[in-house]
Structures are given as C-alpha cells and as structure tokens.
Amino acid sequence: MAEHRWPASGATKVPGRSARVGAYTRRTVLRATAAAGIGAAAVAALPGTAARARTTARVAVLGGGVAGLTAAHELAERGFEVTVYERRALGGKARSMPVPGTGTEGRPDLPGEHGFRFFPGFYQHIPDTMRRIPFEGNANGVWDNLIGVPDARFARADADDIRTPLGFGRVDTASPEGMRESVASVISTTLKMPPAEGLFFANRLLVFNTSCDARRFGQWEHTSWSDFVGAHARSHEFRALVSRTLTSLLVAAKDELASVRTIGSMGEQFLGNPMQIGHDGDLDRVLNGPTNIAWIDPWVARLRELGVRFEVGAEVRGLEVRDRRITGARIVTGTGAAETVTADHFIVALPAERARDLWNADILSAWPQLASMNRLFTDWMSGIQFYLRRRPGLGSGHAAYIDSPWSLTSIAQNALWSRKLDQYGDGTVLDCLSVDISDWNTPGMLFGKTAKECTHEEIAKETWAQILAHLNDRDQVLGDADLHSWFLDPGISWNADRGENTNADPLLINTAGSWDLRPEPHGGVENLYLAGDYVRTNIDLATMEGANESARAAVNALLDVAGSAAPRCPTYTLWRAPELEPLRRADADAYAAGRPNMFDISL
C-alpha cells in the first residue's frame, strides 16, 4: 500500500464447572516442575553446542508467525530438519514493513506495521527466545533491544488528561485489608477516581486474587469482566477507565466479552504485582526500533544458521490423512503451482480462523474436540501510522483516548527508537504516532460510519479527528499542518463493490467460556500439533507470548511422540501472591460447597 499525504490546512474540527480444570492445572504444575528441573541453562546450551544432535525426522511448520518461528527455533536447536511454509510474510501480525516508495537519497522507506506492540515484564517465553537470537553489539541478543516505558497517558475529550507512572508503588498482599486499601489508593490516585469506586474495584481484584483454580475455571471463566465489575451500575468514569480502557489498552480485549478469568489474571500481574516479583523486566517495554529490524529479521537469520528452510508464498490448502496420521499438506506456491508437502511431523501454526478450515472429516473423526474451534470469536484490531513533521511531546509511553468511538490507543515512537525517524523516508519526518484501532464496529464522529465501512482515506481522517478531539481540548497539541503522511495496515483491503473492508489478520478475542472451545497442542492425530494464540496456554490471551508458549508445548508433545531425549522446552507460569494462598485453599472448600468467595460482597 502506498504512503498517503494530506495537504496542510487548519486544524480538523471536530457458570458451570469446566471439565478440564483438574487436567490442566496438574499439567501446568508438571510443566513448571520440568522447566525448573532442566532449567534455562540446559536449553541455552543447545544453540552453541558444536555437537548438536541431528535427527532424520522432518518437520513441516505451517505458518511463519511468532508461533511458527518459535516452533522452528526450538526444533532446530534440537537437531530436527525444519521447513516453514508461510503464505505472506515471516513474523505474521508481529512484523513491521516498509512503506513502499517513501525512501529518498539513500534513506530506507518509512517503517509501517500491523500495529504497535508491547512486551510486559511478566512475559517469560518471548524474552527467553529473544535472548537466544544474536544481535550485533548486544550481550543478550535482541532482548537488549527492549526498553522500559515509564508511564501511560489517558487522554480525555473536554477533560484533563491523566498521566500515570507504570510503577504503582507497593501493594500490600500480606493481608486482604492491606491489599484492598493499597490497590484502592493506587487506583483512586493515579486514575483520579472517587475513593469509593477505587475501593470497589480493589475489592473485585481481591475476590479474584483469592479465588481457587476451580472457581476461576468453573465460575469466572463463564462470567464477563464487565458483569464482574458491575460496569453498568457504576459511574461513567469507572466504565471508561477501569472496565473499558484498562482492558483494551493493557490486554487488547473487550470488557463485555472477555472472561473474568482472563482479565483477572492480567490484573494480578499489572496491579497485584507492582513490585514485579518474578518479572523479566519493566512492567511495560517496547522495542527500540522497527520490529523487523530489532527482532524478526535477526530471528530469521538465526534460524537459517540453524538449518531452517523457508518457503514464503506457500499457502496451505489442505491436509491429507491416513490411519490417524497426516501424510501430506497440500500447498499452492507463490508461482501458483500445487504441491503436496511430506514430513514426519506437521505443526499447524496458523491463526485460528485459517487452521480450522483445514479440519476435514478424517481429522475431526480422530480429534473431535477440534470442531469446537468453529465457535471461537475473532474481531479486528489493526493499526495506522501517522508520520509527523515535528515532535509534539506526547510523552514516552502508551496513550489511550478515553471515550473515542473507535477505542484508540497510540504510542509516539521517535523518542524510543535508537535510529531516529528523520533517517527514514525523505528526511522530514520527525515522529510517528502509531495508533491501534480496537473498535471497528462503532460509528465514528466525523462520517458516522464504522471503520469497516470507511474507505482508507476516511479511516485516516476519522482516526486523526478522534485523536485531535482528545489532545486539543485544552491546548493546540497537534494540527493538520503537522501531518506528513499516513500508512494503514496493508491487511485492511477496501472492497468498493461491497462498500466495506476485509481484514487478512483478524484477532482472536477471548470470550467468556471460550476456554472449553480451545484445543490442547496435541490430540488424536498422532503427528499433528497445534501452535497459536488460540491453543490453551497459561497466559490465556491472544498475544505473542501465548503464541510462543503454545509453540513450546507443541514441540514438547512432538518430542514425546518422537521419543526424543532432547531437553524439553521450558515453560513458565504467571505470578500469584503467595501470602494469599491460604485464602485460595479456603476458597476451594467454599466453591466445592457452593458458597461464594468470602470477599464477594457488595460495597
């Protein structure tokens, strides 16, 4: 897609119990124990060992996003022959891409992307992989390209903006009262909410943090976050900040759809663990440059060094099955030729909406649980970049535009990147406001249409207008004269005949009860394994971390089937306050007896 420019002008005006609970929690404990046993040191020894064991086993990895690259990495380090088949571009939704034709006088093209991304400190799997990807001058590989973001901005239309540090201070978990009071203080102070509502939210977080696993899967998995926090009965401020914005900004989910178990687990990490116990780094981190330069390209180079082959332009059309085994994958190459790929093992690392199209009658007969994937829900969350002629000083962290019809969030990138933006394009771009559009189904303020119904030009103008309405309500922060050009995620395609867009990269949306619809990484087809953010994981969220974790689980299952003696991939669990464990044990008895959590009372 070409870069777009506008002429300079004046400012735009503007609950049942899950049958999988016991099995999954035992498996989580076993995996964590195994990870502790072999340790990161055992895996870290694999890449650098000259005598790395080779095997004749061939693995076809179908999909080259984060899940596919992770699977290829772990397998190649263990001596397997791996080929990755990718339809479009390596890196999937995590990749960045050049804006064609924008570079002049030897400068590279302006960097575009599917949408900005961040790497919370509680991510463990992605950072472990990043440390094993060499990067010139970095002792810890591309992991050293992560930098901490100190604060976040909540921009209000016709109200004061809120800037909050991303180190909330100490939250007292030694007692329920201490936790409730300290979280309430943090929420009320940083988000400028009435103390009573801060206390109410803190109590809801306490209810979840003291809930046992059985209640989390049996009750909270089947309850939406907005219902749990009573959003419809609270103030507008509460709904906007706590229910809606924290959900979309921090975990890219929708408060009326996502389960309490999913959002509560993230709250446990963001708010219940502000001291970042067990974290890999700062609470909020971003890369110090375009994603492909800082991460994806070095990753692909490392995989090539390990012997991984890549077939880009290869689209998977079907799987062939005999005797509960995959005998081949039908692909169409970039030249349009039809081929059948053979291998000993097949890892499907495609997004949920593409993977489920491969489940034919033979696969479903052998692995009937996969039929539930048809009930998984996807929606859109895609990005647009606004390239600016000046640096407006919007802060050094993420921003959420409260009450924006399209649920916009953004980050200004120039201050965070080691190579500044004036070294790209025509040399006049001084900053880039990278914006995520999270709601494509609500009419906008400028054209009265949803983002899905807008042309690309209308999407850009509408998004820009919503941003200006939030930033310029007190002072002139940005204007049309500051806008150099814009670039919309190329996965968004306009269909003029139908008057709507299509999206090549929809996002899996965690909905209440969806855990029961999501598969394990291995099932009734012996040599078929699943890797993707829809697979059951501890992180339980459509994220890069979930994709990486699921790929490790798929590789471990493959190693078991192959009878390999190679070390298993380490996996990690999320933090929980150990001081609250006695209360979780008491809650297990309460849940078994049909009683509510002891703190689940009205305030």
Side-chain angles (χ1 to χ4, degrees):
M1 177 181 174
E3 175 202 32
H4 296 268
R5 297 173 182 265
W6 292 340
S9 64
T12 302
K13 293 184 179 179
V14 264
R17 184 184 180 104
S18 170
R20 300 294 307 174
V21 175
Y24 182 75
T25 53
R26 286 194 298 273
R27 185 176 295 107
T28 301
V29 172
L30 290 172
R31 288 195 317 204
T33 303
I38 63 173
V43 176
L46 288 169
T49 205
R52 187 165 51 90
R54 301 299 302 177
T55 173
T56 58
R58 297 171 300 140
V59 182
V61 177
L62 310 179
V66 170
L69 296 180
T70 301
H73 195 159
E74 299 294 347
L75 288 165
E77 285 184 345
R78 290 159 175 80
F80 286 80
E81 296 181 18
V82 182
T83 303
V84 176
Y85 298 87
E86 167 56 39
R87 175 180 60 158
R88 294 167 62 204
L90 298 173
K93 288 191 282 288
R95 74 190 187 283
S96 60
M97 69 287 291
V99 182
T102 56
T104 64
E105 299 178 355
R107 285 180 291 266
D109 289 335
L110 289 168
E113 58 191 340
H114 167 72
F116 70 76
R117 56 200 55 83
F118 76 118
F119 301 76
F122 61 81
Y123 279 13
Q124 301 287 331
H125 300 89
I126 285 284
D128 175 73
T129 296
M130 296 176 97
R131 287 185 174 90
R132 291 183 275 138
I133 303 170
F135 193 92
E136 184 176 1
N138 287 1
N140 299 298
V142 301
W143 184 87
D144 284 340
N145 291 336
L146 293 173
I147 58 175
V149 173
D151 56 28
R153 177 176 184 156
F154 297 88
R156 309 299 307 269
D158 301 319
D160 291 335
D161 291 359
I162 301 170
R163 289 178 181 264
T164 180
L166 290 176
F168 298 113
R170 184 172 184 272
V171 169
D172 181 7
T173 57
S175 69
E177 295 77 13
M179 178 182 175
R180 185 160 46 206
E181 291 174 4
S182 55
V183 170
S185 175
V186 166
I187 293 295
S188 298
T189 301
T190 58
L191 299 185
K192 300 181 181 179
M193 288 180 55
E197 293 207 320
L199 183 62
F200 172 79
F201 178 73
N203 192 74
R204 300 315 285 162
L205 189 63
L206 178 62
V207 168
F208 182 81
N209 284 15
T210 58
S211 289
C212 63
D213 278 334
R215 189 183 300 279
R216 293 187 184 204
F217 281 88
Q219 181 178 3
W220 302 140
E221 168 62 22
H222 300 276
T223 305
S224 75
W225 177 252
S226 61
D227 286 345
F228 178 72
V229 298
H232 297 296
R234 313 306 297 184
S235 70
H236 173 78
E237 197 81 359
F238 184 96
R239 294 195 304 272
L241 288 170
V242 171
S243 186
R244 185 185 185 196
T245 302
L246 284 179
T247 306
S248 61
L249 175 64
L250 299 182
V251 296
K254 298 180 183 297
D255 64 327
E256 73 277 10
L257 297 176
S259 74
V260 177
R261 189 178 66 81
T262 296
I263 305 304
S265 294
M266 297 303 99
E268 223 169 5
Q269 309 309 308
F270 281 109
L271 296 173
N273 186 17
M275 302 302 290
Q276 302 170 31
I277 301 168
H279 275 204
D280 179 78
D282 291 338
L283 184 64
D284 183 1
R285 297 174 296 182
V286 297
L287 289 166
N288 63 0
T291 309
N292 269 40
I293 294 173
W295 177 26
I296 301 297
D297 289 347
W299 197 4
V300 172
R302 176 56 179 157
L303 297 188
R304 292 188 192 276
E305 290 176 355
L306 291 170
V308 175
R309 295 176 59 246
F310 294 96
E311 298 289 342
V312 178
E315 181 175 357
V316 183
R317 295 288 181 86
L319 298 174
E320 298 175 353
V321 189
R322 185 172 61 246
D323 298 329
R324 302 171 72 93
R325 287 182 58 85
I326 304 298
T327 59
R330 297 190 303 276
I331 67 168
V332 175
T333 68
T335 63
E339 298 180 1
T340 298
V341 172
T342 60
D344 299 294
H345 304 273
F346 294 81
I347 295 181
V348 173
L350 301 170
E353 70 279 0
R354 293 188 57 217
R356 61 192 176 194
D357 287 342
L358 301 178
W359 309 150
N360 56 37
D362 290 333
I363 292 175
L364 293 176
S365 175
W367 195 347
Q369 292 82 4
L370 294 181
S372 296
M373 284 181 58
N374 287 328
R375 294 158 55 196
L376 291 175
F377 180 71
T378 62
D379 207 343
W380 297 15
M381 185 176 184
S382 299
I384 183 170
Q385 287 79 57
F386 293 104
Y387 303 104
L388 306 177
R389 292 189 174 94
R390 68 180 181 88
R391 303 181 183 99
L394 295 176
S396 53
H398 294 94
Y401 300 88
I402 309 300
D403 299 326
S404 58
W406 289 359
S407 294
L408 304 178
T409 51
S410 75
I411 192 165
Q413 295 176 318
N414 189 73
L416 302 166
W417 285 3
S418 55
R419 182 174 185 173
K420 301 306 180 184
L421 277 154
D422 60 4
Q423 299 178 46
Y424 295 87
D426 62 9
T428 66
V429 172
L430 299 185
D431 210 339
C432 173
L433 193 63
S434 186
V435 182
D436 276 355
I437 303 171
S438 298
D439 187 338
W440 289 73
N441 304 303
T442 298
M445 55 181 285
L446 203 59
F447 300 106
K449 296 192 292 186
T450 71
K452 290 179 179 177
E453 298 169 322
C454 287
T455 65
H456 291 184
E457 183 84 7
E458 289 172 337
I459 289 173
K461 288 183 176 180
E462 177 71 58
T463 304
W464 184 249
Q466 292 183 30
I467 289 173
L468 295 190
H470 284 72
L471 295 181
N472 293 344
D473 56 335
R474 292 289 188 269
D475 299 300
Q476 183 75 12
V477 177
L478 273 179
D480 286 352
D482 300 319
L483 184 60
H484 173 281
S485 54
W486 55 269
F487 179 73
L488 180 66
D489 173 16
I492 304 297
S493 299
W494 173 250
N495 186 318
D497 293 334
R498 298 176 59 182
E500 63 182 11
N501 289 291
T502 59
N503 188 350
D505 300 299
L507 180 71
L508 178 73
I509 302 296
N510 286 60
T511 57
S514 62
W515 178 262
D516 293 334
L517 310 178
R518 294 163 58 186
E520 299 283 355
H522 186 235
V525 182
E526 182 182 359
N527 63 338
L528 175 64
Y529 315 87
L530 308 183
D533 55 18
Y534 64 92
V535 177
R536 291 181 175 182
T537 58
N538 184 60
I539 190 73
D540 185 41
L541 201 62
T543 59
M544 300 177 292
E545 176 77 352
N548 188 292
E549 181 185 347
S550 71
R552 292 167 182 247
V555 169
N556 286 344
L558 188 154
L559 296 175
D560 290 343
V561 170
S564 173
R568 272 36 180 180
C569 308
T571 58
Y572 308 90
T573 56
L574 296 174
W575 174 89
R576 292 185 186 178
E579 300 91 338
L580 301 180
E581 188 57 33
L583 297 175
R584 296 187 197 104
R585 289 196 295 268
D587 187 59
D589 294 335
Y591 182 72
R595 299 193 304 272
N597 179 279
M598 68 182 74
F599 301 107
D600 196 0
I601 57 176
S602 298
L603 289 179

